PDB file of all heavy atoms in Angstrom:
ATOM      1  N   VAL A  29      -8.749  -4.725  12.693  1.00  0.00           N
ATOM      2  CA  VAL A  29      -8.792  -3.522  13.523  1.00  0.00           C
ATOM      3  C   VAL A  29      -7.631  -2.644  13.081  1.00  0.00           C
ATOM      4  O   VAL A  29      -6.473  -2.968  13.312  1.00  0.00           O
ATOM      5  CB  VAL A  29      -8.671  -3.848  15.020  1.00  0.00           C
ATOM      6  CG1 VAL A  29      -8.647  -2.554  15.834  1.00  0.00           C
ATOM      7  CG2 VAL A  29      -9.836  -4.731  15.455  1.00  0.00           C
ATOM      8  N   GLU A  30      -7.983  -1.543  12.420  1.00  0.00           N
ATOM      9  CA  GLU A  30      -6.974  -0.613  11.905  1.00  0.00           C
ATOM     10  C   GLU A  30      -6.818   0.543  12.894  1.00  0.00           C
ATOM     11  O   GLU A  30      -7.800   1.013  13.468  1.00  0.00           O
ATOM     12  CB  GLU A  30      -7.381  -0.078  10.538  1.00  0.00           C
ATOM     13  CG  GLU A  30      -7.484  -1.162   9.486  1.00  0.00           C
ATOM     14  CD  GLU A  30      -8.045  -0.653   8.174  1.00  0.00           C
ATOM     15  OE1 GLU A  30      -8.632   0.443   8.163  1.00  0.00           O
ATOM     16  OE2 GLU A  30      -7.895  -1.348   7.160  1.00  0.00           O
ATOM     17  N   SER A  31      -5.612   1.006  13.023  1.00  0.00           N
ATOM     18  CA  SER A  31      -5.348   2.117  13.935  1.00  0.00           C
ATOM     19  C   SER A  31      -4.121   2.879  13.459  1.00  0.00           C
ATOM     20  O   SER A  31      -3.378   2.398  12.597  1.00  0.00           O
ATOM     21  CB  SER A  31      -5.141   1.606  15.364  1.00  0.00           C
ATOM     22  OG  SER A  31      -4.048   0.721  15.419  1.00  0.00           O
ATOM     23  N   GLY A  32      -3.930   4.057  14.041  1.00  0.00           N
ATOM     24  CA  GLY A  32      -2.734   4.834  13.766  1.00  0.00           C
ATOM     25  C   GLY A  32      -2.927   6.032  12.866  1.00  0.00           C
ATOM     26  O   GLY A  32      -2.004   6.824  12.686  1.00  0.00           O
ATOM     27  N   GLY A  33      -4.101   6.172  12.293  1.00  0.00           N
ATOM     28  CA  GLY A  33      -4.344   7.327  11.450  1.00  0.00           C
ATOM     29  C   GLY A  33      -4.530   8.585  12.273  1.00  0.00           C
ATOM     30  O   GLY A  33      -4.590   8.549  13.502  1.00  0.00           O
ATOM     31  N   GLY A  34      -4.606   9.718  11.593  1.00  0.00           N
ATOM     32  CA  GLY A  34      -4.805  10.975  12.287  1.00  0.00           C
ATOM     33  C   GLY A  34      -4.338  12.153  11.479  1.00  0.00           C
ATOM     34  O   GLY A  34      -4.097  12.041  10.271  1.00  0.00           O
ATOM     35  N   LEU A  35      -4.204  13.275  12.152  1.00  0.00           N
ATOM     36  CA  LEU A  35      -3.757  14.519  11.539  1.00  0.00           C
ATOM     37  C   LEU A  35      -2.280  14.720  11.838  1.00  0.00           C
ATOM     38  O   LEU A  35      -1.856  14.628  13.006  1.00  0.00           O
ATOM     39  CB  LEU A  35      -4.569  15.692  12.082  1.00  0.00           C
ATOM     40  CG  LEU A  35      -4.132  17.098  11.662  1.00  0.00           C
ATOM     41  CD1 LEU A  35      -4.291  17.276  10.165  1.00  0.00           C
ATOM     42  CD2 LEU A  35      -4.942  18.150  12.433  1.00  0.00           C
ATOM     43  N   VAL A  36      -1.513  15.012  10.816  1.00  0.00           N
ATOM     44  CA  VAL A  36      -0.070  15.217  10.981  1.00  0.00           C
ATOM     45  C   VAL A  36       0.367  16.348  10.063  1.00  0.00           C
ATOM     46  O   VAL A  36      -0.235  16.562   8.994  1.00  0.00           O
ATOM     47  CB  VAL A  36       0.703  13.914  10.691  1.00  0.00           C
ATOM     48  CG1 VAL A  36       0.529  13.493   9.242  1.00  0.00           C
ATOM     49  CG2 VAL A  36       2.172  14.034  11.054  1.00  0.00           C
ATOM     50  N   GLN A  37       1.380  17.071  10.476  1.00  0.00           N
ATOM     51  CA  GLN A  37       1.901  18.155   9.646  1.00  0.00           C
ATOM     52  C   GLN A  37       2.777  17.597   8.522  1.00  0.00           C
ATOM     53  O   GLN A  37       3.350  16.506   8.655  1.00  0.00           O
ATOM     54  CB  GLN A  37       2.717  19.115  10.501  1.00  0.00           C
ATOM     55  CG  GLN A  37       1.897  19.912  11.494  1.00  0.00           C
ATOM     56  CD  GLN A  37       2.720  20.966  12.208  1.00  0.00           C
ATOM     57  OE1 GLN A  37       3.942  20.902  12.253  1.00  0.00           O
ATOM     58  NE2 GLN A  37       2.046  21.957  12.778  1.00  0.00           N
ATOM     59  N   PRO A  38       2.892  18.338   7.453  1.00  0.00           N
ATOM     60  CA  PRO A  38       3.811  17.906   6.375  1.00  0.00           C
ATOM     61  C   PRO A  38       5.212  17.662   6.922  1.00  0.00           C
ATOM     62  O   PRO A  38       5.708  18.419   7.749  1.00  0.00           O
ATOM     63  CB  PRO A  38       3.776  19.092   5.410  1.00  0.00           C
ATOM     64  CG  PRO A  38       2.437  19.712   5.622  1.00  0.00           C
ATOM     65  CD  PRO A  38       2.153  19.566   7.084  1.00  0.00           C
ATOM     66  N   GLY A  39       5.805  16.566   6.461  1.00  0.00           N
ATOM     67  CA  GLY A  39       7.113  16.157   6.953  1.00  0.00           C
ATOM     68  C   GLY A  39       7.067  15.239   8.146  1.00  0.00           C
ATOM     69  O   GLY A  39       8.100  14.674   8.538  1.00  0.00           O
ATOM     70  N   GLY A  40       5.895  15.066   8.713  1.00  0.00           N
ATOM     71  CA  GLY A  40       5.746  14.219   9.882  1.00  0.00           C
ATOM     72  C   GLY A  40       5.625  12.740   9.541  1.00  0.00           C
ATOM     73  O   GLY A  40       5.718  12.350   8.367  1.00  0.00           O
ATOM     74  N   SER A  41       5.407  11.941  10.575  1.00  0.00           N
ATOM     75  CA  SER A  41       5.325  10.482  10.425  1.00  0.00           C
ATOM     76  C   SER A  41       4.098   9.927  11.118  1.00  0.00           C
ATOM     77  O   SER A  41       3.599  10.505  12.094  1.00  0.00           O
ATOM     78  CB  SER A  41       6.573   9.829  11.031  1.00  0.00           C
ATOM     79  OG  SER A  41       7.754  10.245  10.385  1.00  0.00           O
ATOM     80  N   LEU A  42       3.636   8.819  10.598  1.00  0.00           N
ATOM     81  CA  LEU A  42       2.577   8.029  11.218  1.00  0.00           C
ATOM     82  C   LEU A  42       2.881   6.564  11.007  1.00  0.00           C
ATOM     83  O   LEU A  42       3.522   6.190  10.015  1.00  0.00           O
ATOM     84  CB  LEU A  42       1.209   8.345  10.617  1.00  0.00           C
ATOM     85  CG  LEU A  42       0.526   9.660  10.989  1.00  0.00           C
ATOM     86  CD1 LEU A  42      -0.748   9.820  10.165  1.00  0.00           C
ATOM     87  CD2 LEU A  42       0.214   9.728  12.461  1.00  0.00           C
ATOM     88  N   ARG A  43       2.390   5.736  11.925  1.00  0.00           N
ATOM     89  CA  ARG A  43       2.500   4.289  11.767  1.00  0.00           C
ATOM     90  C   ARG A  43       1.110   3.687  11.849  1.00  0.00           C
ATOM     91  O   ARG A  43       0.450   3.772  12.883  1.00  0.00           O
ATOM     92  CB  ARG A  43       3.380   3.693  12.850  1.00  0.00           C
ATOM     93  CG  ARG A  43       3.704   2.217  12.638  1.00  0.00           C
ATOM     94  CD  ARG A  43       4.322   1.604  13.868  1.00  0.00           C
ATOM     95  NE  ARG A  43       4.938   0.313  13.612  1.00  0.00           N
ATOM     96  CZ  ARG A  43       5.094  -0.635  14.556  1.00  0.00           C
ATOM     97  NH1 ARG A  43       4.684  -0.408  15.779  1.00  0.00           N
ATOM     98  NH2 ARG A  43       5.673  -1.762  14.241  1.00  0.00           N
ATOM     99  N   LEU A  44       0.680   3.099  10.746  1.00  0.00           N
ATOM    100  CA  LEU A  44      -0.600   2.425  10.707  1.00  0.00           C
ATOM    101  C   LEU A  44      -0.435   0.969  11.103  1.00  0.00           C
ATOM    102  O   LEU A  44       0.569   0.337  10.755  1.00  0.00           O
ATOM    103  CB  LEU A  44      -1.212   2.516   9.312  1.00  0.00           C
ATOM    104  CG  LEU A  44      -1.379   3.915   8.718  1.00  0.00           C
ATOM    105  CD1 LEU A  44      -2.076   3.811   7.352  1.00  0.00           C
ATOM    106  CD2 LEU A  44      -2.124   4.837   9.635  1.00  0.00           C
ATOM    107  N   SER A  45      -1.450   0.445  11.791  1.00  0.00           N
ATOM    108  CA  SER A  45      -1.473  -0.960  12.167  1.00  0.00           C
ATOM    109  C   SER A  45      -2.790  -1.577  11.751  1.00  0.00           C
ATOM    110  O   SER A  45      -3.828  -0.908  11.754  1.00  0.00           O
ATOM    111  CB  SER A  45      -1.309  -1.124  13.684  1.00  0.00           C
ATOM    112  OG  SER A  45      -0.085  -0.605  14.133  1.00  0.00           O
ATOM    113  N   CYS A  46      -2.734  -2.838  11.397  1.00  0.00           N
ATOM    114  CA  CYS A  46      -3.938  -3.584  11.028  1.00  0.00           C
ATOM    115  C   CYS A  46      -3.818  -4.956  11.673  1.00  0.00           C
ATOM    116  O   CYS A  46      -3.019  -5.788  11.231  1.00  0.00           O
ATOM    117  CB  CYS A  46      -4.056  -3.691   9.521  1.00  0.00           C
ATOM    118  SG  CYS A  46      -5.393  -4.765   8.957  1.00  0.00           S
ATOM    119  N   ALA A  47      -4.620  -5.171  12.709  1.00  0.00           N
ATOM    120  CA  ALA A  47      -4.618  -6.446  13.408  1.00  0.00           C
ATOM    121  C   ALA A  47      -5.750  -7.313  12.874  1.00  0.00           C
ATOM    122  O   ALA A  47      -6.911  -6.891  12.869  1.00  0.00           O
ATOM    123  CB  ALA A  47      -4.785  -6.214  14.902  1.00  0.00           C
ATOM    124  N   ALA A  48      -5.404  -8.499  12.410  1.00  0.00           N
ATOM    125  CA  ALA A  48      -6.368  -9.396  11.791  1.00  0.00           C
ATOM    126  C   ALA A  48      -6.738 -10.528  12.732  1.00  0.00           C
ATOM    127  O   ALA A  48      -5.926 -10.972  13.539  1.00  0.00           O
ATOM    128  CB  ALA A  48      -5.794  -9.964  10.495  1.00  0.00           C
ATOM    129  N   SER A  49      -7.963 -11.000  12.577  1.00  0.00           N
ATOM    130  CA  SER A  49      -8.416 -12.172  13.310  1.00  0.00           C
ATOM    131  C   SER A  49      -9.356 -12.968  12.432  1.00  0.00           C
ATOM    132  O   SER A  49      -9.893 -12.453  11.445  1.00  0.00           O
ATOM    133  CB  SER A  49      -9.112 -11.762  14.617  1.00  0.00           C
ATOM    134  OG  SER A  49     -10.249 -10.969  14.355  1.00  0.00           O
ATOM    135  N   GLY A  50      -9.535 -14.244  12.782  1.00  0.00           N
ATOM    136  CA  GLY A  50     -10.442 -15.090  12.028  1.00  0.00           C
ATOM    137  C   GLY A  50      -9.873 -15.623  10.732  1.00  0.00           C
ATOM    138  O   GLY A  50     -10.629 -16.096   9.877  1.00  0.00           O
ATOM    139  N   MET A  51      -8.566 -15.541  10.576  1.00  0.00           N
ATOM    140  CA  MET A  51      -7.932 -16.030   9.357  1.00  0.00           C
ATOM    141  C   MET A  51      -6.544 -16.560   9.694  1.00  0.00           C
ATOM    142  O   MET A  51      -5.973 -16.195  10.727  1.00  0.00           O
ATOM    143  CB  MET A  51      -7.802 -14.897   8.326  1.00  0.00           C
ATOM    144  CG  MET A  51      -7.054 -13.672   8.839  1.00  0.00           C
ATOM    145  SD  MET A  51      -7.028 -12.284   7.681  1.00  0.00           S
ATOM    146  CE  MET A  51      -5.510 -12.638   6.815  1.00  0.00           C
ATOM    147  N   LEU A  52      -6.027 -17.405   8.814  1.00  0.00           N
ATOM    148  CA  LEU A  52      -4.674 -17.898   8.986  1.00  0.00           C
ATOM    149  C   LEU A  52      -3.731 -16.851   8.399  1.00  0.00           C
ATOM    150  O   LEU A  52      -3.364 -16.903   7.223  1.00  0.00           O
ATOM    151  CB  LEU A  52      -4.512 -19.246   8.293  1.00  0.00           C
ATOM    152  CG  LEU A  52      -3.179 -19.977   8.498  1.00  0.00           C
ATOM    153  CD1 LEU A  52      -2.860 -20.154   9.965  1.00  0.00           C
ATOM    154  CD2 LEU A  52      -3.187 -21.323   7.785  1.00  0.00           C
ATOM    155  N   PHE A  53      -3.368 -15.903   9.227  1.00  0.00           N
ATOM    156  CA  PHE A  53      -2.677 -14.693   8.787  1.00  0.00           C
ATOM    157  C   PHE A  53      -1.422 -14.994   7.969  1.00  0.00           C
ATOM    158  O   PHE A  53      -1.160 -14.335   6.966  1.00  0.00           O
ATOM    159  CB  PHE A  53      -2.316 -13.859  10.014  1.00  0.00           C
ATOM    160  CG  PHE A  53      -1.633 -12.556   9.712  1.00  0.00           C
ATOM    161  CD1 PHE A  53      -2.371 -11.428   9.376  1.00  0.00           C
ATOM    162  CD2 PHE A  53      -0.246 -12.446   9.766  1.00  0.00           C
ATOM    163  CE1 PHE A  53      -1.741 -10.222   9.089  1.00  0.00           C
ATOM    164  CE2 PHE A  53       0.386 -11.249   9.486  1.00  0.00           C
ATOM    165  CZ  PHE A  53      -0.371 -10.133   9.148  1.00  0.00           C
ATOM    166  N   SER A  54      -0.674 -16.012   8.361  1.00  0.00           N
ATOM    167  CA  SER A  54       0.648 -16.228   7.771  1.00  0.00           C
ATOM    168  C   SER A  54       0.615 -16.606   6.296  1.00  0.00           C
ATOM    169  O   SER A  54       1.614 -16.451   5.599  1.00  0.00           O
ATOM    170  CB  SER A  54       1.406 -17.292   8.562  1.00  0.00           C
ATOM    171  OG  SER A  54       0.713 -18.512   8.516  1.00  0.00           O
ATOM    172  N   ILE A  55      -0.512 -17.084   5.811  1.00  0.00           N
ATOM    173  CA  ILE A  55      -0.558 -17.509   4.413  1.00  0.00           C
ATOM    174  C   ILE A  55      -1.049 -16.405   3.484  1.00  0.00           C
ATOM    175  O   ILE A  55      -1.010 -16.557   2.263  1.00  0.00           O
ATOM    176  CB  ILE A  55      -1.428 -18.761   4.217  1.00  0.00           C
ATOM    177  CG1 ILE A  55      -2.910 -18.438   4.458  1.00  0.00           C
ATOM    178  CG2 ILE A  55      -0.946 -19.896   5.090  1.00  0.00           C
ATOM    179  CD1 ILE A  55      -3.835 -19.592   4.073  1.00  0.00           C
ATOM    180  N   TYR A  56      -1.521 -15.315   4.056  1.00  0.00           N
ATOM    181  CA  TYR A  56      -2.106 -14.246   3.250  1.00  0.00           C
ATOM    182  C   TYR A  56      -1.064 -13.239   2.787  1.00  0.00           C
ATOM    183  O   TYR A  56      -0.114 -12.926   3.519  1.00  0.00           O
ATOM    184  CB  TYR A  56      -3.189 -13.503   4.031  1.00  0.00           C
ATOM    185  CG  TYR A  56      -4.517 -14.197   4.026  1.00  0.00           C
ATOM    186  CD1 TYR A  56      -4.747 -15.307   4.829  1.00  0.00           C
ATOM    187  CD2 TYR A  56      -5.540 -13.757   3.198  1.00  0.00           C
ATOM    188  CE1 TYR A  56      -5.958 -15.958   4.809  1.00  0.00           C
ATOM    189  CE2 TYR A  56      -6.761 -14.394   3.175  1.00  0.00           C
ATOM    190  CZ  TYR A  56      -6.964 -15.499   3.984  1.00  0.00           C
ATOM    191  OH  TYR A  56      -8.173 -16.140   3.951  1.00  0.00           O
ATOM    192  N   ASN A  57      -1.268 -12.726   1.579  1.00  0.00           N
ATOM    193  CA  ASN A  57      -0.563 -11.544   1.130  1.00  0.00           C
ATOM    194  C   ASN A  57      -1.319 -10.336   1.696  1.00  0.00           C
ATOM    195  O   ASN A  57      -2.547 -10.287   1.631  1.00  0.00           O
ATOM    196  CB  ASN A  57      -0.541 -11.456  -0.391  1.00  0.00           C
ATOM    197  CG  ASN A  57       0.124 -12.664  -1.017  1.00  0.00           C
ATOM    198  OD1 ASN A  57       1.173 -13.119  -0.555  1.00  0.00           O
ATOM    199  ND2 ASN A  57      -0.497 -13.225  -2.037  1.00  0.00           N
ATOM    200  N   MET A  58      -0.587  -9.385   2.252  1.00  0.00           N
ATOM    201  CA  MET A  58      -1.210  -8.236   2.900  1.00  0.00           C
ATOM    202  C   MET A  58      -0.841  -6.954   2.165  1.00  0.00           C
ATOM    203  O   MET A  58       0.244  -6.840   1.577  1.00  0.00           O
ATOM    204  CB  MET A  58      -0.750  -8.129   4.349  1.00  0.00           C
ATOM    205  CG  MET A  58      -1.041  -9.352   5.201  1.00  0.00           C
ATOM    206  SD  MET A  58      -2.801  -9.708   5.361  1.00  0.00           S
ATOM    207  CE  MET A  58      -3.367  -8.231   6.217  1.00  0.00           C
ATOM    208  N   GLY A  59      -1.739  -5.997   2.218  1.00  0.00           N
ATOM    209  CA  GLY A  59      -1.441  -4.739   1.548  1.00  0.00           C
ATOM    210  C   GLY A  59      -2.124  -3.558   2.200  1.00  0.00           C
ATOM    211  O   GLY A  59      -3.077  -3.724   2.982  1.00  0.00           O
ATOM    212  N   TRP A  60      -1.617  -2.399   1.899  1.00  0.00           N
ATOM    213  CA  TRP A  60      -2.248  -1.139   2.277  1.00  0.00           C
ATOM    214  C   TRP A  60      -2.615  -0.392   1.005  1.00  0.00           C
ATOM    215  O   TRP A  60      -1.783  -0.237   0.100  1.00  0.00           O
ATOM    216  CB  TRP A  60      -1.309  -0.274   3.118  1.00  0.00           C
ATOM    217  CG  TRP A  60      -1.139  -0.743   4.520  1.00  0.00           C
ATOM    218  CD1 TRP A  60      -0.122  -1.507   5.012  1.00  0.00           C
ATOM    219  CD2 TRP A  60      -1.999  -0.469   5.626  1.00  0.00           C
ATOM    220  NE1 TRP A  60      -0.308  -1.744   6.352  1.00  0.00           N
ATOM    221  CE2 TRP A  60      -1.455  -1.108   6.763  1.00  0.00           C
ATOM    222  CE3 TRP A  60      -3.186   0.238   5.786  1.00  0.00           C
ATOM    223  CZ2 TRP A  60      -2.054  -1.045   8.021  1.00  0.00           C
ATOM    224  CZ3 TRP A  60      -3.779   0.303   7.026  1.00  0.00           C
ATOM    225  CH2 TRP A  60      -3.212  -0.336   8.129  1.00  0.00           C
ATOM    226  N   TYR A  61      -3.863   0.029   0.941  1.00  0.00           N
ATOM    227  CA  TYR A  61      -4.372   0.828  -0.153  1.00  0.00           C
ATOM    228  C   TYR A  61      -4.848   2.161   0.420  1.00  0.00           C
ATOM    229  O   TYR A  61      -5.062   2.299   1.627  1.00  0.00           O
ATOM    230  CB  TYR A  61      -5.546   0.131  -0.835  1.00  0.00           C
ATOM    231  CG  TYR A  61      -5.178  -1.088  -1.646  1.00  0.00           C
ATOM    232  CD1 TYR A  61      -4.767  -2.272  -1.033  1.00  0.00           C
ATOM    233  CD2 TYR A  61      -5.238  -1.073  -3.039  1.00  0.00           C
ATOM    234  CE1 TYR A  61      -4.420  -3.390  -1.774  1.00  0.00           C
ATOM    235  CE2 TYR A  61      -4.907  -2.194  -3.794  1.00  0.00           C
ATOM    236  CZ  TYR A  61      -4.508  -3.340  -3.151  1.00  0.00           C
ATOM    237  OH  TYR A  61      -4.172  -4.444  -3.891  1.00  0.00           O
ATOM    238  N   ARG A  62      -5.042   3.126  -0.478  1.00  0.00           N
ATOM    239  CA  ARG A  62      -5.603   4.390  -0.026  1.00  0.00           C
ATOM    240  C   ARG A  62      -6.551   4.946  -1.072  1.00  0.00           C
ATOM    241  O   ARG A  62      -6.442   4.632  -2.255  1.00  0.00           O
ATOM    242  CB  ARG A  62      -4.509   5.407   0.275  1.00  0.00           C
ATOM    243  CG  ARG A  62      -3.734   5.902  -0.938  1.00  0.00           C
ATOM    244  CD  ARG A  62      -2.563   6.792  -0.498  1.00  0.00           C
ATOM    245  NE  ARG A  62      -1.836   7.333  -1.627  1.00  0.00           N
ATOM    246  CZ  ARG A  62      -0.704   8.008  -1.519  1.00  0.00           C
ATOM    247  NH1 ARG A  62      -0.154   8.225  -0.301  1.00  0.00           N
ATOM    248  NH2 ARG A  62      -0.086   8.488  -2.588  1.00  0.00           N
ATOM    249  N   GLN A  63      -7.479   5.761  -0.591  1.00  0.00           N
ATOM    250  CA  GLN A  63      -8.437   6.400  -1.491  1.00  0.00           C
ATOM    251  C   GLN A  63      -8.644   7.832  -1.048  1.00  0.00           C
ATOM    252  O   GLN A  63      -9.112   8.078   0.071  1.00  0.00           O
ATOM    253  CB  GLN A  63      -9.765   5.645  -1.512  1.00  0.00           C
ATOM    254  CG  GLN A  63     -10.730   6.152  -2.562  1.00  0.00           C
ATOM    255  CD  GLN A  63     -11.895   5.212  -2.778  1.00  0.00           C
ATOM    256  OE1 GLN A  63     -12.179   4.348  -1.959  1.00  0.00           O
ATOM    257  NE2 GLN A  63     -12.574   5.368  -3.914  1.00  0.00           N
TER     258      GLN A  63
END
């Protein structure tokens, strides 16, 4: 479940979150990609 995106002015800030379930989270390498 990803959240935190939106519209922001140049120079502004956002915090994205990605809540995972159904996996042993602690053993995974995690990343953020963009397209």
Side-chain angles (χ1 to χ4, degrees):
V29 177
E30 297 173 344
S31 60
L35 173 64
V36 64
Q37 292 187 340
S41 299
L42 285 174
R43 188 192 194 206
L44 305 183
S45 299
C46 173
S49 61
M51 56 185 268
L52 186 54
F53 182 83
S54 61
I55 69 171
Y56 278 77
N57 301 316
M58 302 298 297
W60 286 97
Y61 289 71
R62 68 186 183 188
Q63 188 167 17

